[in-house]
Amino acid sequence: MEVLKEKVEEEEEAEREEAAERGEKVMRPVEMRREEPPMTQEMLRDLEKKLSEIEIVIPEQPSIITRDTFDISKLPLSYQSNTLKEEHLLQVADNFARQYSHLCPDRVPLFLHPLNECGVPKFVSTTIRPTLMPYPELYNWDSCAQFVSDFLSMVPLPDPLQPVVQEEEKVPPKKYAIKPPRDLSSRFEQEQEMKKQQESKVEEEKRRKEEEQRLLEVEKAKIDPLHGLRVHAWVLVLSGKREVPESFFIDPFTGRSYSTQHDHFLGIESLWNHKNYWVNMQDCWNGCKDLVFDLGDPVRWEYLLLGTDKAHLSVAEDEEDGMNDEDVENLGKEDEDKSFDMPSSWVEKIEISPEVFETRCPNGKKVIQYKRAKLEKWAPYLNSNGLVCRLTTYEDLECTKTLEIKEWYQNREDMLELKHINKSTGLNIDYFKPGHPQALRVHSYKSMQPEMDRVMEFYETARVDGLIKREETPKTMTEYYQGRTDFLSYRHVDFGERVKKLALNSAESNPRPMVKITERFSRNPEKPADEDVAERVFLILEERIRLRYHCWDDRITASKREFLRRTEVDSKGNEIIMTPDMCISFEVEPMEHTKKLLYQYEAMMKLKNEEKLSRHQAWESELEVLEILKLREEEEEVHTLTISIYDAKRNEKSKEYREAMERVMHEEHLRQVEAQLDYLAPFLAQLPPGEKLTRWQAMRVKDECLSDFKQRLIDKANLIQARFEKETQELQKKQQWYQENQVTLTAEVEDWYLSYCSQAMFRIRILEQRLNRHKELAPLKYLALEEKLHKDPRLVEFLKVFV
Amino acid sequence: MQRLYDSVEPRVMDEHMLKLAVEEQGPQEEAGPLARQEGILFKDVLSLRLDFQNILHIDSLWQFENLRKLQLDNNIIEKIEGLERLVHLVWLDLSFNNIEAIEGLDTLVNLEDLSLFNNRISKIDSLDALVKLQVLSLGNNQIGNMMNIIYLRRFKALRTLSLSGNPIAESEDYKMFIYAYLPDLRYLDFRHIDDHMKDLARSKHQYSIDGLKQQEHLTQARLDDEQAQQEELKKHKVAFVEHLNGSFLFDSMYAEDVEGNKLAYLPGVGELLQAYKDKFVIICLNIFEYGLKQQEKRKLELDTFNECIQEAIQENQEQGKRRIAKFEEKHLLNLNAIREESNVTNIERKKVEYGEDITELFNVLMTLEMQLVEQLEETINMFERNITDLVALFIENVQSLMAQCRDLENHHHEKLLEISINTLERIVKGELNEDLPDDVRALFVDKDTIVNAVGASHDIHLLKIDNREDELVTRTNSWCTHLVDTIHKDEIMRNRRRVKEINQYIDHMQNELDNLECSDVID
């Protein structure tokens, strides 16, 4: 119950907040009101029945939600009582309600003056207090609404229909609302559905459709009993100011905006802002679609107060002018000449501390349940691993089979931003912001074991080797590069079976043999095309190297060259170094020098070296993968969070530094105060003002000052002495008394006596110490003062003669 | 170290000596036998060392076309010569010789490092062509004039200079002078130049350097101007209307016209001439502007044509490349399949299949090429028609403008004749008051003489106009013919190249297939 109360309070706070924000920002230009339960024709019959039983509601009925769980006495007086003006307003409202129920007996009673947390009826308009908040995010309606929706947590009413009947007494939080069940089919879910549908095959689509049909039916069945009877309050933003092109609704629980034409809104009973209260007199048979939001039209909108209702559309400008002044009281003054104006709001000005603002949700945590999905939100730094948001999607309506999880992180030292876990495929994708030590951008994997399927993407500009992406399968590794000086753009390595000789196999100790390395290069404009290699393939096992060159701009074929290194021995037993059949080449433009064995030999030697290099690089890449995996594991374990140096609260170092600075400042201040202490002031004051001192006077002032100080020192010493003696005497008396009555004393009294003794002894000892210290310091202090007086600018010219 | 050639026996730099050096400095170890077996062509040599050979004359080096580095130090060379063909030379070492003057380096535009250490050079010059020069070593020479340094200012890339051991190096101001006048220099006499010292030197020689800079600046500006003018003229020439933007043609008409100039002294002719000139120049300007406009049009036409042609060719090439890439993929698989196949009949079958693939590729590529040829031919013909029309129009209009010039000339001629005859009559009657120069008066002997004189002048003028017109027409026409010819030729060349390329490629593929089977059969 307690929790509930708190929530309600928070709600209220939030509601006030929002009202405030609106009033100061959105509301100033626009106009914002709440609105009462939607009504449709079909519902009216039900209502009629109920209303015939219930009759008019008396506002002073006790609130159903009791509010005594929090201390209402601490609330300001305005919360606990009504001013005369407010009383007057309540009477006006009652009068209005009576007339209304007389004129429209078939309509729902108005929601005019609910009880507040102190059980005092308050007119709804006065619960809104426009306030300007210091957060830029709250300046525009969308981010502001988002904040409010985060801040509110929804508590369902015991009976969703009840407020319709008794709203006036017990539903002070106007925001209190239950979404029509139809809202459950969220936009997000729809998108998800769309995606799935696109991906899935026709059959699956069919099946899903059938399922949807079924679900829809289920939902419909749910809707039927309460459709249109539920209470809902929401925010209406009127067009016309701050570049609002047309009126729209904001749902306070989602922070989402809806067109006034939206199907979800079945009708408007009444609406209000901090100035007035209007009852809708238009027919809502077609939802809100045909409503005209011209509040100045008394036929369509019945106003409650004449005072401000003068503010028809034309007067809206006047209102704005008045509203420009942030002080609500000013408004009142301005309206004084009118017949009756809205009393200023009784609620406290809303204050949102930066912590609360950052926390957003109550306790910094919020869970929103969607159809087949769950959204959890946390405040930054609340979770030690930096988790701020988690979206879980489920396969079924009961939310038992998880489909995928998306987790958003903030302030992680390893720059992890989003973790996407697909439960059905087992694929994990981690997204990183720029700044990871290994320049990691995306890491998608199924297991953290090396030599498995995995894709790593990198911020290539942060890497020396310009690596963009590395894809791995158990048998291959493919790397993509960009912006390298050697124009390498792609490397693909095929691995063979590991030679089994070690128990512990890893790329470091026992690398897998490489079967084939394919490298591709982009065009190097400085080389002629038939010397610029486009692709080279090292077939390591076959000892074959295949080169493909770039294509000339005006050609369609490219030169090729294939080297086959076989160590053979000729008839004389000499090793054959190079034979023409070891190099097969196709040249687009045949050249003389490339036909030479020497040239081919040199080219092959160079390639051999490059092969070694490439193998080494591939091996290093493998090592790097190991390293990154290790690093990732460590990071996951430690998950350190970064703290901005501007975050004065969390940054320990800066906090210490600031405190140290403050201490220094404080000490400095004390010193200054002491320095400014003017010993001479009382003595100089005795002399006639404005006259120059004579030497005699100066001497006298100085002597008087010194003697006075001396006297003070002596007095102080005497005082300590006196106290010391007093304590000693008392102790002696007690001791005497004790010795006399020792025999008759009870154990308790004896204890008391002993403790007294020890305390007295302590006091005596302290006094003694203080006396001794004073005796020591007094002469020094005296000398110090004398010195100071000698240097005093007012006396110095008279005294220096004697110095 | 300097040795005089009379103290040692000079050696002749002949082919034998070069061959030895090349072999000695050529590939070593495993590659050595290969190189010896095949022999090394002089033009493949990139670096050659010929030190301590007692060479007197540089000779027989013309074959080393691709030489990058040549060392001829420690010889007794007296004259730099025979290096004209070594245009790729980057590094040239001629230190420790007996050279007296820098010369014969005008073709070595790629030279970056030149050493003339320990010679007898007294003047730095003839290096103008070496724009890439970075290192210049001139130590131990006989350079005595500090002004030689200023010559080095033109080498913007020069970073290292050595001049120690020269008479100028003994000068007190030697270093400061060089620092100041060669501000981009980093090393002097193998020592790094301190920035601080540079600043000092600069402030010390500020005044004279500023003067020098000003002068250099002016020269540069003049050069730029001249170049700009040349460019302008070139542009006009391309439009075939050069020198028509003023009175140039008119002036040239009178340049060789003796009689005409004489007749200008007649009363009333001056004004007439002035009016004539004004009108004439206006027509010339018309021609000029029209010519430029037409040139723009022709250029636009040509550019559009080239662009379209290029696009078509590119598109076609892309298609060809795609086909080949597709084929190559299959090709590798096919080769492997055949290699792994053991069954002879299967090999045969696969060979046939593969051969068919190759033929198909050939057909596809050739079809593509034939398509392109047809498309291009059509386009080229269209262009030819258009450009010819354009040129014909241009010529026609210019001719009509030239006709106006001629009319003007005729008109002027008539007027002049009239004045001349009037004057003659007045002279005969003795009514002429104005003084005329004697040679002018000499014309007025009788009617024939004066008519002849005026006629001669007229003829010259007409001739000039005709010549200019002819020149324009001829050049325009020949340009047009040449352009069209070139386009046709280029297209033919392109087509031949492509066909050759395709054939070559197909042959290679076929060969590869055949060789593969041969070796397999042998195996």
Side-chain angles (χ1 to χ4, degrees), chain A residues 109-160:
Chain A
L110 293 172
F111 180 64
L112 278 171
H113 37 60
L115 299 183
N116 73 353
E117 50 270 64
C118 304
V120 180
K122 292 283 185 184
F123 189 67
V124 280
S125 293
T126 58
T127 56
I128 304 172
R129 177 166 180 173
T131 315
L132 183 65
M133 302 306 299
Y135 306 106
E137 277 178 59
L138 296 184
Y139 188 68
N140 286 318
W141 72 267
D142 41 3
S143 47
C144 176
Q146 196 57 49
F147 173 71
V148 173
S149 71
D150 284 344
F151 204 91
L152 296 180
S153 42
M154 198 191 82
V155 184
L157 285 173
D159 175 0

Side-chain angles (χ1 to χ4, degrees), chain A residues 606-639:
Chain A
K606 213 173 133 206
L607 282 171
K608 285 260 158 196
N609 281 333
E610 275 163 1
E611 182 184 323
K612 258 183 224 162
L613 225 75
S614 291
R615 280 163 70 172
H616 183 75
Q617 275 165 0
W619 178 70
E620 273 187 347
S621 292
E622 277 190 277
L623 286 194
E624 193 189 280
V625 171
L626 287 184
E627 197 184 322
I628 291 175
L629 289 180
K630 209 171 119 194
L631 184 71
R632 283 295 305 135
E633 262 168 22
E634 279 169 14
E635 282 167 352
E636 281 300 319
E637 252 171 53
V638 182
H639 52 69

Side-chain angles (χ1 to χ4, degrees), chain B residues 419-433:
Chain B
I419 291 173
S420 302
I421 290 172
N422 278 344
T423 315
L424 180 69
E425 280 168 5
R426 278 160 67 191
I427 288 175
V428 169
K429 287 177 189 168
E431 284 171 2
L432 193 77
N433 301 326

